[in-house]
Amino acid sequence: MASDAWQADRVRSATTTIFAEMSALALATQSINLGQGFPDTDGPDFMLDEARAAIAGGVNQYPPGRGIRPLREAIAEHARRHYGLSYDPDSEVLVTTGATEALAAAILAFVNPGEEVIALEPFYDSYAASIELAGGRRVGVGLLGPDFRLDHAELAAAFTDRTKALLINSPHNPTGVVLDRADLAEIARLAVRHDVLVICDEVYEHLVFDDAEHLPLAGFPGMRPRTVRISSAGKTFSATGWKIGWALGTPELINAVTAVKQFLTYVSGAPFQPAVARALNEGDEWVARSRAQLEDKRNRLAAGLRTVGLEPHIPRGTYFMSTDVRPLGYADGVEFCRDLPERCGVVAIPHQVFYDRVEAGRPYVRWAFCKADQVLDEAITRLGRLNEARDLALVDARGTTPRDVP
Ligand code: PMP
Ligand code: GLN
């Protein structure tokens, strides 16, 4: 039998992720990678030192399945300090291998084959894959361009008698939308009315700008008993490669997620756990500085993109910014992103891979701005070549210089 014929149906659509594909393309073409979302600077020194000390001190064997107690305490204390939410570190906190594992374990724990999961579309890629692994059906509710706003009527209409869970991501990847109090109150009202579970992906909880405020859904009326809150150290502390995440919820919900987690990875990275505990306990100032720097980077990239003829949708959270690429003569973001490395040495991510309604995402492209200022500047310089090429094409076509063009 041909080896691809052995593949199970439920993983047929799980090809290489767009992030891995685009990062490989960036390396192969020596392009600037504004595709995959990872920062090019490290997290706080004291956190890195703590991990080194843990390895040197012999913290290298299996930790407890739910995570070391100091980390579970730090996670619970963080939720109390920032949001006034209280979780018991022993029964209501689970440490996972990144938010990715927490999401997969929660979806596998709660979604039966044929049950529907309502998620904001565009969807982060692992949602679609995990819902498929569980045999569930995803139902998208659009955060669609050009303004990427949640349509409350569309959300209300998405519920059916097969709806099992809502999967909410705010701040939202890839749009950068931060759901506001009215959006969250409506989501909460509908979740209670239809008696569904809510899985809430809050990995960008601290990356919010301007006057945007991150409000956990678990804090809204009726939500605490039905919400699994998921986050991770990756974004908050610039340590995407450490893969330390967590899930919070009632003992019953966390028991169910733990039951799956223990057979996915059993436990998660021992020496990183004390380091993340320390970062959560002592890192608020570092996080505030990093947030302010990111806001500057957001503004820097936005200004740069405007100079090359791309009008960005200004994100109020995450480290991603989206643009419509039609002004540069492309109708399709995938085509644009495939051409970009060769044409000017920059990599971005096409939106449409995050949609079932591919048409809605077709002209949009996502740019990551969690990069050094000189990297962002160089990317803009390189993108400027697209316009030079277009001007030359005009010269060729009309035998005139662009300045002569009326
Ligand atoms: N959710 C969203 C919305 C993300 O953007 C990411 C990616 N970085 C994750 C989850 C995964 O987080 P982690 O790296 O902690 O697994
Ligand atoms: N979350 C990151 C992004 O959106 C990538 C993570 C991954 O590659 N799976 O770019």
Side-chain angles (χ1 to χ4, degrees):
M1 197 188 277
S3 54
D4 61 350
W6 284 322
Q7 205 177 21
D9 293 339
R10 68 178 169 277
V11 293
R12 268 182 209 288
S13 64
T15 51
T16 307
T17 80
I18 187 70
F19 308 117
E21 182 190 336
M22 288 300 176
S23 284
L25 189 61
L27 263 181
T29 56
Q30 297 189 318
S31 292
I32 292 182
N33 190 355
L34 303 189
Q36 193 172 31
F38 61 89
D40 55 8
T41 49
D42 283 330
D45 286 339
F46 70 82
M47 176 186 86
L48 306 176
D49 289 343
E50 193 74 35
R52 283 187 201 100
I55 291 173
V59 184
N60 298 305
Q61 309 308 328
Y62 296 130
R66 287 183 177 232
I68 62 169
R69 194 163 201 286
L71 176 54
R72 284 183 279 116
E73 279 168 1
I75 292 166
E77 171 53 24
H78 171 271
R80 193 202 56 71
R81 187 167 77 247
H82 287 279
Y83 311 114
L85 292 169
S86 118
Y87 291 94
D88 171 34
D90 289 325
S91 60
E92 298 192 307
V93 180
L94 171 67
V95 175
T96 58
T97 303
T100 307
E101 188 195 32
L103 286 157
I107 291 166
L108 289 167
F110 299 116
V111 179
N112 286 305
E115 289 177 338
E116 294 176 358
V117 179
I118 297 174
L120 304 177
E121 182 180 9
F123 321 97
Y124 178 60
D125 68 343
S126 85
Y127 300 178
S130 294
I131 294 168
E132 235 165 87
L133 284 177
R137 232 177 60 73
R138 59 179 180 265
V139 175
V141 168
L143 284 184
L144 305 183
D147 57 6
F148 302 103
R149 284 222 184 86
L150 180 66
D151 177 340
H152 292 195
E154 187 190 344
L155 175 67
F159 286 83
T160 72
D161 55 6
R162 292 176 303 282
T163 306
K164 182 62 168 290
L166 270 170
L167 178 44
I168 298 297
N169 170 217
S170 178
H172 181 259
N173 179 7
T175 64
V177 164
V178 180
L179 296 179
D180 64 19
R181 196 177 285 279
D183 292 331
L184 294 164
E186 181 61 4
I187 292 169
R189 188 185 71 79
L190 290 166
V192 171
R193 179 159 150 219
H194 293 277
D195 194 19
V196 298
L197 175 82
V198 181
I199 300 168
C200 213
D201 177 349
E202 304 177 31
V203 296
Y204 298 101
E205 60 187 313
H206 290 293
L207 310 189
V208 290
F209 313 121
D210 308 324
D211 59 350
E213 189 186 2
H214 173 68
L215 300 167
L217 253 180
F220 283 71
M223 294 305 283
R224 174 69 169 81
R226 65 178 69 247
T227 303
V228 180
R229 280 195 73 214
I230 290 173
S231 193
S232 144
K235 320 290 165 184
T236 303
F237 298 112
S238 287
T240 60
W242 282 18
K243 302 300 294 186
I244 296 293
W246 48 86
L248 305 174
T250 63
E252 295 71 26
L253 293 177
I254 291 304
N255 281 346
V257 180
T258 306
V260 178
K261 183 255 164 21
Q262 65 192 343
F263 296 117
L264 292 176
T265 55
Y266 183 48
V267 294
S268 304
F272 301 122
Q273 294 197 26
V276 171
R278 205 170 148 202
L280 284 167
N281 289 333
E282 300 172 28
D284 283 357
E285 267 177 42
W286 186 92
V287 172
R289 267 199 312 279
S290 146
R291 195 208 61 75
Q293 283 164 2
L294 262 181
E295 187 167 320
D296 290 343
K297 290 179 189 301
R298 176 196 67 166
N299 297 342
R300 192 178 195 98
L301 183 65
L305 288 170
R306 282 194 194 103
T307 66
V308 301
L310 290 170
E311 185 56 42
H313 174 261
I314 301 297
R316 284 159 57 78
T318 76
Y319 37 52
F320 305 115
M321 176 177 303
S322 298
T323 57
D324 182 335
V325 293
R326 283 173 290 195
L328 292 188
Y330 281 85
D332 186 311
V334 168
E335 232 174 80
F336 177 81
C337 290
R338 292 238 157 92
D339 282 1
L340 207 54
E342 206 167 294
R343 287 192 64 195
C344 68
V346 178
V347 160
I349 299 283
H351 258 234
Q352 71 188 262
V353 297
F354 305 120
Y355 295 74
D356 286 329
R357 285 169 275 188
V358 170
E359 276 317 306
R362 195 174 290 285
Y364 298 104
V365 161
R366 189 195 83 174
W367 311 85
F369 53 83
C370 46
K371 308 289 173 181
D373 288 350
Q374 63 272 27
V375 172
L376 296 175
D377 293 348
E378 174 60 19
I380 294 301
T381 304
R382 292 184 181 195
L383 286 167
R385 288 183 208 149
L386 293 175
N387 287 330
E388 284 164 26
R390 198 175 50 170
D391 291 348
L392 284 175
L394 279 176
V395 175
D396 282 353
R398 305 189 184 194
T400 72
T401 67
R403 241 173 265 107
D404 299 333
V405 176

